[in-house]
Amino acid sequence: MTEVAEAPGTQRAEELKRINHWINGAPVAGQSGRSGPVYNPAAGIQTGEVDFASAEEVDRAVQVAKDAFSTWRAMSLSRKTEIFFRIRKLVDEHREEIAKILTAEHGKVLSDAKGEVARGLEVIEYCCGIPELLKGAFTEQASTGIDVYSIRQPLGVCAGITPFNFPAMVPMWMWAPALACGNTFVLKPSEKDPSASVYTAELLKEAGVPDGVFNVIHGDKVAVDSILEHPGIDSVSFVGSTPIARYVYETGTSHGKRVQALGGAKNHMIVLPDADIEMAADAAVSAGYGSAGERCMAVSMLVAVGDAGDELVGAIKQRLPKVKVGDGMDPDAEMGPLVTREHRDKVASYIDRGHAEGATVVTDGRESAPDGDGFFLGVTLLDDVRPEMDVYKDEIFGPVLGVTRVNTYDEAVRLVNENPYGNGVAIFTRDGGVARQFQFDVNVGMVGINVPIPVPVAYYSFGGWKNSLFGDLHVYGPEGIQFYTRGKVVTSRWPDPATSKVDLGFPQTR
Ligand code: NAD
């Protein structure tokens, strides 16, 4: 088997775990001859090898999902609801196991991994109410003897392509509403941490999801391109970086598919001079460094307005030495490693880049990274960052928090609105009037008022604006249900044969 090149200097575990595809209710060993390494980022060693699918293997999964569609679609809503309640119970009972898989392959600390499962579970819970969510409208006597009603029907085979940073929750955002609406699913998880998806497949089977309804295909660009071009796939949901999101949207839609593609982010947190600075500093540290900054909703830029800057930077600086960086399985650790050595090195390179561009390095995360081979980087704080710098413009996706200083609220809002991303934003203030004005002014999809990571609850929908989302519909919540269904309107008459006659005029209501 041709292995994908191993990163230099990386050790291997004595026995590598093989991670296979999941097709038609069972694991299926890859046949393409291509595969990729999976690491334990805290130890810095390769622990697994994941199969990479060929176009033929993707085709097999799509055919199976297509065959399963008619039966799954026809299953009554009450039976589907029963299955969803069982899925909910099983995921709830196996939170710990799922979280451990996430920590082992992604590196995030176990408490954070459990939080990820909990937020995914909320989406599953929302989907338990699917009969209510699929209810249409009914108009009696729209015209004499004529009733009109609307129904929503599934699309067919839906695909999901997901990023490394939420290996359980982001797939749940997709497969849960897709299946609840009566679709079948092909998931292509991140090749960096693929095991949680296979574990989920096992739970779904145990819950009674028929074989073929949920399939997992591992791989890289070959698998993604096969999905985007496959005539048997009706929709694609994507979450990942902006360049790939744009590519997925353009390629998928050009092949006639419905696509929602969520991209990267550069989330600002504005701190006004009247804010509770201690509370803002706690929020900035939590939202900037949680999950080692590998969150699309992480705060990466603080915008200190007026004289808030010195006090804010001082309060954050005081907190940083207390952030415990370590193996995610260590109950004392608050921040784990980054996902790969290459990513860690890239993130670390922004510290020198920021310095060269004129930012002040208040705290250098390279100095506090734990020893050993793990892909660790400590927390970094850069002050005096300006919008023209790369450290401002790029999505660093690591534990590097920047501070930029402006004089007025208007300047702060202009910075956010001129940014090409529009995923999340937060404002910290004690002034309700300003906060309300901010929610009106700001061109961003998810807004926090004294809340640093405003991920919407499951009965709203998640999505950014601008380069953070390509497509019209956000994920999960009511827009998720809309994405995974098509509307149909029925105009119905049960005529009395005695009143029947030929009428070539355009139908009018009377
Ligand atoms: P990524 O774009 O590298 O990968 C995402 C998916 O695309 C993976 O399944 C990967 O296999 C596939 N892929 C990668 N390169 C490809 C290519 N050239 N052609 C086709 N497919 C390709 O993203 P990532 O590094 O896994 O995740 C981090 C990114 O995801 C960050 O930019 C983050 O902001 C973003 N993200 C966004 C959200 C959101 O809701 N907007 C949520 C989580 C993560």
Side-chain angles (χ1 to χ4, degrees), residues 440-465:
F440 183 84
D441 290 338
V442 77
N443 294 334
V444 171
M446 293 171 282
V447 179
I449 295 173
N450 297 314
V451 171
I453 303 195
V455 174
V457 290
Y459 42 95
Y460 285 81
S461 298
F462 180 108
W465 288 12

Side-chain angles (χ1 to χ4, degrees), residues 203-379:
L203 292 183
L204 294 191
K205 186 177 169 90
E206 196 181 333
V209 172
D211 292 349
V213 170
F214 179 76
N215 307 279
V216 181
I217 275 291
H218 300 291
D220 55 1
K221 184 170 167 53
V222 173
V224 171
D225 286 347
S226 309
I227 286 172
L228 298 178
E229 292 163 13
H230 201 295
I233 289 181
D234 296 283
S235 80
V236 177
S237 301
F238 173 90
V239 175
S241 59
T242 288
I244 312 295
R246 184 183 279 117
Y247 169 76
V248 164
Y249 183 76
E250 288 172 356
T251 314
T253 50
S254 77
H255 284 83
K257 300 179 199 323
R258 182 179 289 189
V259 182
Q260 53 180 186
L262 282 72
K266 191 82 191 182
N267 304 312
H268 296 69
M269 174 173 144
I270 296 175
V271 182
L272 296 184
D274 73 337
D276 180 329
I277 296 292
E278 295 300 319
M279 179 182 163
D282 283 339
V285 172
S286 312
Y289 304 113
S291 202
E294 291 174 328
R295 288 175 180 152
C296 65
M297 290 293 277
V299 167
S300 52
M301 277 312 306
L302 295 172
V303 185
V305 179
D307 58 11
D310 288 346
E311 206 189 330
L312 180 66
V313 169
I316 293 174
K317 193 179 166 188
Q318 239 184 19
R319 285 161 170 76
L320 296 190
K322 295 177 204 146
V323 175
K324 294 201 187 72
V325 183
D327 186 329
M329 290 308 292
D330 174 353
D332 290 334
E334 295 171 292
M335 191 183 106
L338 282 94
V339 70
T340 58
R341 185 188 305 277
E342 295 71 37
H343 186 55
R344 189 269 316 272
D345 294 346
K346 185 175 169 206
V347 172
S349 74
Y350 276 99
I351 305 171
D352 287 335
R353 197 157 356 153
H355 179 66
E357 291 177 313
T360 307
V361 182
V362 179
T363 308
D364 185 333
R366 292 171 297 192
E367 292 165 7
S368 57
D371 294 335
D373 293 329
F375 311 143
F376 289 104
L377 182 65
V379 294

Side-chain angles (χ1 to χ4, degrees), residues 76-93:
S76 71
L77 284 174
S78 52
R79 282 204 54 210
K80 282 203 194 84
T81 304
E82 253 178 58
I83 291 179
F84 260 82
F85 271 97
R86 281 203 295 271
I87 295 174
R88 192 226 160 261
K89 185 164 180 279
L90 284 169
V91 172
D92 182 38
E93 285 169 359

Side-chain angles (χ1 to χ4, degrees), residues 85-298:
F85 271 97
R86 281 203 295 271
I87 295 174
R88 192 226 160 261
K89 185 164 180 279
L90 284 169
V91 172
D92 182 38
E93 285 169 359
H94 292 85
R95 283 170 192 252
E96 185 88 17
E97 288 91 328
I98 301 171
K100 281 183 180 156
I101 294 171
L102 303 182
T103 297
E105 292 184 356
H106 173 280
K108 61 179 73 179
V109 298
L110 194 63
S111 55
D112 193 32
K114 285 184 195 162
E116 168 176 351
V117 180
R119 290 307 297 263
L121 196 54
E122 288 173 16
V123 174
I124 294 171
E125 285 165 357
Y126 177 78
C127 293
C128 289
I130 194 63
E132 175 70 21
L133 299 168
L134 286 182
K135 262 160 68 176
F138 190 95
T139 304
E140 186 185 50
Q141 195 75 341
S143 187
T144 307
I146 291 189
D147 301 330
V148 180
Y149 50 96
S150 64
I151 48 184
R152 296 206 70 86
Q153 297 188 331
L155 306 178
V157 180
C158 300
I161 302 163
T162 54
F164 79 82
N165 66 328
F166 285 105
M169 181 186 76
V170 169
M172 286 172 187
W173 289 358
M174 300 174 182
W175 63 254
L179 261 53
C181 291
N183 302 283
T184 56
F185 206 78
V186 175
L187 172 64
K188 205 302 282 173
S190 171
E191 65 279 28
K192 296 192 176 97
D193 39 23
S195 294
S197 294
V198 181
Y199 191 78
T200 301
E202 289 168 10
L203 292 183
L204 294 191
K205 186 177 169 90
E206 196 181 333
V209 172
D211 292 349
V213 170
F214 179 76
N215 307 279
V216 181
I217 275 291
H218 300 291
D220 55 1
K221 184 170 167 53
V222 173
V224 171
D225 286 347
S226 309
I227 286 172
L228 298 178
E229 292 163 13
H230 201 295
I233 289 181
D234 296 283
S235 80
V236 177
S237 301
F238 173 90
V239 175
S241 59
T242 288
I244 312 295
R246 184 183 279 117
Y247 169 76
V248 164
Y249 183 76
E250 288 172 356
T251 314
T253 50
S254 77
H255 284 83
K257 300 179 199 323
R258 182 179 289 189
V259 182
Q260 53 180 186
L262 282 72
K266 191 82 191 182
N267 304 312
H268 296 69
M269 174 173 144
I270 296 175
V271 182
L272 296 184
D274 73 337
D276 180 329
I277 296 292
E278 295 300 319
M279 179 182 163
D282 283 339
V285 172
S286 312
Y289 304 113
S291 202
E294 291 174 328
R295 288 175 180 152
C296 65
M297 290 293 277

